[in-house]
Amino acid sequence: MSLLKKSARGANVILRRTANVWLEAKARRRLAGQLPTAGSVECALYFADERINAYQVRQWYEPMRRLSESHPVALLVRTPRAALDLIVDCPLPIVLATSMPEQERFLGSHPIQIFFYVNNNKENFLPLRFTEPVHIHLSHGESDKTSMASNQLKAYDYAFVAGAASRDRIQRQLRNFDVGHLLEIGRPQLDVPRNPRPMPDDGRTVVLYAPTWEGDRAAMAYGSIVSHGETIVAELLADPRFRLVYRPHPRVGVQDKRQAVASATIKSAIARANEADPDAHHVVDDAREFGWPMDAADVGIVDISAMAADWLSTRKPMIVTKPSEPSAKVDPDGLAGALWLMPESEAPEVRQIIERLMRAGTPQEQLAQVEYHFGDTAPGACMSRFLRAVEEVLD
């Protein structure tokens, strides 16, 4: 390596370190006014990721707020960027602990009984060294993705899972795993009030297209934006009988820039369609909060992802895309095995497929999956099960 390149690399390292120091100082100033009083926190929601994955925490805001009414919860964050992002809307006190000594001081200052984890980040193994609290894996959605049956679950005292589908998936795929460590809580996010966004009542069929991201390896490549998405969107925008709501996953394009380009193309196409027809009211939904499209849409087009499972609860027709990546792992015993998957070759026929679904109604095989995945989905049932499961663990 030339001296010039070495100098440039060294300068970049110094700049990054300086920026990180500045960000950490800024985060600590912002958080100083809302730190929890010593001795007040009983549960810690642990988040070691960067802000791009903050959506994983945000969907647990309301369940944790409800839990705080009886067992105060704080959000324990590892990175300054994530802390600065989450402080904008987090209803919980946030504690920034970038090092193990800081985590130890946090535990020494509060009677922590539970650590909750929302993902499989390798940094989760740092607080697992603490033996007094109970460690509970929550995840951030119910799906047939391979990450939902990870050997990492063996590290936790308990895993809260949505229902029998998750229990069966884990039992099928993990060796020597004690399913007694699984507690079924449903999906408490289904009981979180959603801010309504009424659509014009003009007879159009509202279609939600909510693709997942491309995954970090071929086995997890379930995203459909490049393979199906542009075709699906072009077909729906060309037909005045449809109104499209496009909700891409926050991580789209992180691993594969083609996905980011395709998503940008879709957004531009939606903008042009709205300019050409002001009555169309197509929507790009990239808000932090998600929920209203579940109520507003008549049909959902989703990938093998948590969105597929969440859409089940609406009991409205759904199209699940078939991954175009041959190495993507599709569980034949899961939701993907129970429902028809739309291959890339049939994406040009999406309008006809939707018409058939709307005439026939939601297939019985889809309706049968609701209880299997979530158990009782009566209003308030899942939230109550989550809170009861916490009490059971504490007892």
Side-chain angles (χ1 to χ4, degrees), residues 15 61 125 189-190 218 276 311 382:
L15 286 173
Y61 277 176
F125 283 79
Q189 288 79 6
L190 299 178
W311 185 265
C382 293

Side-chain angles (χ1 to χ4, degrees), residues 68-334:
S68 284
E69 295 172 1
S70 53
H71 301 287
V73 183
L75 175 58
L76 189 61
V77 181
R78 278 294 303 268
T79 69
R81 283 186 177 86
L84 288 168
D85 187 77
L86 291 162
I87 196 175
V88 173
D89 57 359
C90 184
L92 308 169
I94 300 176
V95 176
L96 177 61
T98 60
S99 66
M100 181 55 69
E102 284 186 296
Q103 291 184 21
E104 290 177 342
R105 287 195 292 272
F106 174 70
L107 262 74
S109 303
H110 299 276
I112 302 299
Q113 301 180 61
I114 296 178
F115 264 91
F116 293 106
Y117 304 84
V118 298
N119 57 30
N120 291 325
N121 191 304
K122 63 182 180 181
E123 299 293 337
N124 291 357
F125 283 79
L126 291 177
L128 279 169
R129 64 180 288 186
F130 301 121
T131 57
E132 291 187 2
V134 177
H135 298 270
I136 301 175
H137 188 265
L138 297 173
S139 194
H140 52 274
E142 164 65 17
S143 77
D144 283 338
K145 289 185 176 183
T146 59
S147 58
M148 295 300 294
S150 167
N151 265 314
Q152 290 166 291
L153 291 177
K154 296 175 181 177
Y156 304 95
D157 296 304
Y158 295 95
F160 285 4
V161 297
S166 184
R167 178 183 293 271
D168 291 347
R169 180 189 311 115
I170 292 168
Q171 192 167 18
R172 281 195 311 271
Q173 299 184 27
L174 299 189
R175 301 185 188 94
N176 302 317
F177 182 80
D178 183 357
V179 293
H181 292 280
L182 303 178
L183 295 180
E184 297 177 19
I185 64 168
R187 182 88 164 115
Q189 288 79 6
L190 299 178
D191 292 324
V192 176
R194 298 193 276 257
N195 294 323
R197 180 169 176 173
M199 294 277 99
D201 186 13
D202 55 5
R204 292 190 185 222
T205 298
V206 181
V207 181
L208 169 66
Y209 176 44
T212 191
W213 71 300
E214 60 271 18
D216 57 2
R217 55 194 184 276
M220 288 276 288
Y222 302 106
S224 65
I225 293 181
V226 170
S227 58
H228 299 63
E230 291 184 82
T231 301
I232 287 172
V233 169
E235 289 292 322
L236 295 177
L237 295 182
D239 194 325
R241 296 174 300 168
F242 297 100
R243 173 167 293 116
L244 176 65
V245 178
Y246 176 55
R247 172 79 184 191
H249 190 284
R251 289 184 62 86
V252 162
V254 170
Q255 294 288 128
D256 183 352
K257 297 308 177 187
R258 295 177 306 159
Q259 305 281 334
V261 170
S263 185
T265 300
I266 288 172
K267 292 177 181 179
S268 297
I270 290 172
R272 290 195 301 272
N274 283 332
E275 289 178 4
D277 179 7
D279 293 327
H281 296 288
H282 303 298
V283 178
V284 174
D285 179 33
D286 53 8
R288 287 175 169 174
E289 292 184 359
F290 173 71
W292 70 266
M294 302 269 286
D295 299 323
D298 302 301
V299 179
I301 303 177
V302 296
D303 302 334
I304 295 174
S305 65
M307 270 306 308
D310 281 354
W311 185 265
L312 284 176
S313 67
T314 70
R315 293 175 167 79
K316 293 185 282 191
M318 171 172 67
I319 298 171
V320 181
T321 66
K322 182 177 181 179
S324 60
E325 167 56 54
S327 300
K329 289 190 176 181
V330 178
D331 185 359
D333 297 310

Side-chain angles (χ1 to χ4, degrees), residues 343-383:
E344 178 182 353
S345 61
E346 295 195 32
E349 301 172 28
V350 65
R351 288 183 289 179
Q352 295 91 318
I353 294 170
I354 291 174
E355 289 170 1
R356 291 197 297 269
L357 277 174
M358 294 299 292
R359 285 196 300 269
T362 306
Q364 286 301 311
E365 55 266 32
Q366 177 183 325
L367 294 173
Q369 293 293 316
V370 179
E371 184 174 356
Y372 181 49
H373 277 74
F374 299 122
D376 184 5
T377 55
C382 293
M383 188 71 76

